[in-house]
Amino acid sequence: MVEFVLGGDAVTAFIVIGVVGLALLLLSVVLGEVFEGLLGAFEFEFGGGILSGPVIGAFLAAFGFGAALIMFGTGVGATAGAFGGLASGVAVGGLAAVMMRSLVNMPTDETATTRGLEGTPAIVITTIPEEGYGEVTVRHHGEQRKYNARASERITAGTQVWVTAVLSTSALLVSSTPPPPADS
């Protein structure tokens, strides 16, 4: 019954190749760099990710399933099916390589850090007690961020303040008096 559905041993072999390719593709997408590390012994560096896990998986899946579909659908032999599968594998693998290259070379914004916050205006959102922390919001790198804040005096919510120092990645020292103008 299985041979009737699959059309013989060659079709079965191509389906197995397709399943292996699909499994490789899924593992490389789900496990990412962990799986790429396991494939490190087979890694060849040329062309920016041409032989990465997703590209090889996409090629094998398209080759195997493409060849099996051509053989089963048209009744041609294994050689013609392999050439058709090779064409589909190159097309799908090439598309995967282009997609991988665009993902790897995609420009990204600078990571937002607390560096450069000194002198930045902020708004107190939770009153800052004389001895303790309140909260402020600061617009930095185009994003509104909330930080814990200390001050040498009590500052009520809604007051505009200026950052005088960065205490940690989540805490700032602020003042209700603006910083002196920078010399031009």
Side-chain angles (χ1 to χ4, degrees), residues 87-177:
S88 66
V90 167
V92 172
L95 180 63
V98 167
M99 289 171 44
M100 289 301 296
R101 184 174 296 164
S102 68
L103 287 173
V104 168
N105 296 328
M106 180 175 30
T108 59
D109 293 335
E110 177 184 341
T111 303
T113 63
T114 54
R115 186 177 58 234
L117 278 176
E118 290 86 4
T120 305
I123 301 293
V124 177
I125 57 173
T126 303
T127 299
I128 303 170
E130 201 168 318
E131 294 293 324
Y133 284 93
E135 294 178 319
V136 296
T137 59
V138 179
R139 180 162 291 286
H140 188 59
H141 290 293
E143 294 183 14
Q144 193 76 19
R145 299 262 178 166
K146 182 172 79 168
Y147 294 97
N148 295 317
R150 280 191 83 106
S152 59
E153 61 200 349
R154 183 179 190 276
I155 303 175
T156 60
T159 306
Q160 181 173 11
V161 294
W162 286 265
V163 178
T164 57
V166 175
L167 302 175
S168 71
T169 58
S170 63
L172 306 172
L173 182 62
V174 297
S175 173
S176 60
T177 57

